[in-house]
Amino acid sequence: MPYSIMLDAGHGGADPGATYQGRQEKDDTLKLVLAIGQILQNHGIDVEYTRTTDVYETPYEKAMEANNAEVDYFVSIHRNSFPVDNEVSGVESLVYDLSGIKYQMAQDINEQLESVGFVNLGVHARPNLVVLRKTKMPAVLVEVGFINSDTDNMLFDQNFQDIAQAIADGIMDTLYMKEVEETDHYRVQAGAFRNRMYAERLLNELLEQEYPAYIDDSGPYYRVQVGSFDNLNEAADMERRLKRAGYPTVIVR
């Protein structure tokens, strides 16, 4: 997949970000960003990082780093905080404005995190944030739960890999859907479900086997589909591969 993305672990170095009972935002974000990046790289996405160690860069420096690298997307990972401990929990994503593919990606990430167990607090416009205002590419800032919420911290720690997978899946959902919308194509459908959880289970199973799978939720069913093929022969080849692997399939256009 010819996409590149810069992942930003919020804060770092002398800036710990939000803190709670000895826990520091900068540590959680770095650990999570590295896990997300590994998943995306395993699916053919070119991943770059604003930091991979405990160092500090200003938000402006991070935005310029992304611009200079000419990546396609910028995703910044943070932990939220509230003035009163254990008062609020959940995930929210921030974008410059509520339009375009950045808004779609933020929604997709939130929906995936909701499936892990977080309360979905929605997507909000924050045009004043430097990493959203100064980046030239679509940019999303994800607040992965409240660091001063025991509920969110327990979820973060006990489901860490699922959370990394959920954010990566949200990103890839958007990218694959973009490919689908831009191409006159054939696709191979491996399943259709009323319950998104079952669709996501099949999606993850296919992605683990490195099939270019995604969920199409444009109709009444959550349809798990593979590929975007310019001609019927290519789609038929993929259908035969999936059938040999034991999946019931149908070619759709």
Side-chain angles (χ1 to χ4, degrees):
M1 221 166 77
Y3 293 111
S4 60
I5 186 168
M6 182 160 284
L7 296 178
D8 168 45
H11 308 282
D15 174 17
T19 61
Y20 176 65
Q21 296 182 350
R23 187 173 192 137
Q24 298 183 327
E25 182 180 1
K26 68 173 184 176
D27 298 327
D28 284 354
T29 61
L30 180 57
K31 181 182 176 184
L32 186 54
V33 153
L34 294 176
I36 296 166
Q38 186 61 58
I39 295 169
L40 293 176
Q41 286 177 319
N42 290 343
H43 288 87
I45 297 174
D46 181 18
V47 179
E48 299 193 38
Y49 303 89
T50 58
R51 69 181 180 101
T52 57
T53 59
D54 186 20
V55 296
Y56 175 73
E57 289 183 322
T58 67
Y60 180 80
E61 287 173 328
K62 292 179 175 184
M64 293 305 102
E65 191 173 344
N67 292 342
N68 292 335
E70 298 183 341
V71 294
D72 298 317
Y73 299 91
F74 179 91
V75 175
S76 184
I77 301 299
H78 286 254
R79 298 291 312 277
N80 221 332
S81 185
F82 193 74
V84 180
D85 294 344
N86 293 303
E87 185 76 16
V88 180
S89 62
V91 296
E92 66 174 338
S93 289
L94 309 177
V95 291
Y96 181 78
D97 59 42
L98 303 181
S99 67
I101 195 167
K102 63 184 181 299
Y103 181 44
Q104 182 62 52
M105 182 175 288
Q107 291 178 307
D108 288 340
I109 291 171
N110 276 21
E111 287 178 7
Q112 290 285 354
L113 287 170
E114 185 177 7
S115 73
V116 177
F118 284 107
V119 176
N120 186 349
L121 300 176
V123 179
H124 306 285
R126 292 290 187 275
N128 60 316
L129 294 180
V130 172
V131 293
L132 303 180
R133 187 175 77 248
K134 293 296 185 180
T135 42
K136 295 179 180 179
M137 69 292 301
V140 179
L141 189 153
V142 187
E143 298 276 12
V144 189
F146 285 75
I147 200 167
N148 60 339
S149 163
D150 292 335
T151 298
D152 281 355
N153 285 338
M154 183 179 297
L155 189 58
F156 188 96
D157 295 336
Q158 294 182 356
N159 299 273
F160 176 80
Q161 195 58 41
D162 290 338
I163 291 167
Q165 185 70 54
I167 295 173
D169 285 345
I171 293 169
M172 290 187 289
D173 283 350
T174 307
L175 300 185
Y176 287 133
M177 188 55 64
K178 183 174 185 292
E179 283 188 345
V180 168
E181 291 173 349
E182 290 179 347
T183 308
D184 184 17
H185 58 278
Y186 295 92
R187 293 169 282 176
V188 181
Q189 185 164 297
F193 307 90
R194 290 192 179 275
N195 189 316
R196 187 180 182 95
M197 180 180 68
Y198 296 123
E200 289 172 347
R201 184 178 301 167
L202 176 57
L203 172 70
N204 291 332
E205 182 178 315
L206 292 169
L207 290 175
E208 287 175 0
Q209 300 174 73
E210 299 186 351
Y211 288 105
Y214 53 87
I215 294 175
D216 179 358
D217 59 0
S218 59
Y221 294 93
Y222 297 105
R223 299 182 295 171
V224 181
Q225 299 178 341
V226 175
S228 177
F229 305 100
D230 293 334
N231 62 71
L232 187 58
N233 288 337
E234 291 178 354
D237 287 342
M238 177 58 74
E239 184 188 31
R240 283 191 289 270
R241 282 180 56 193
L242 288 165
K243 281 188 174 178
R244 285 196 296 268
Y247 297 100
T249 60
V250 60
I251 296 176
V252 297
R253 186 171 186 176

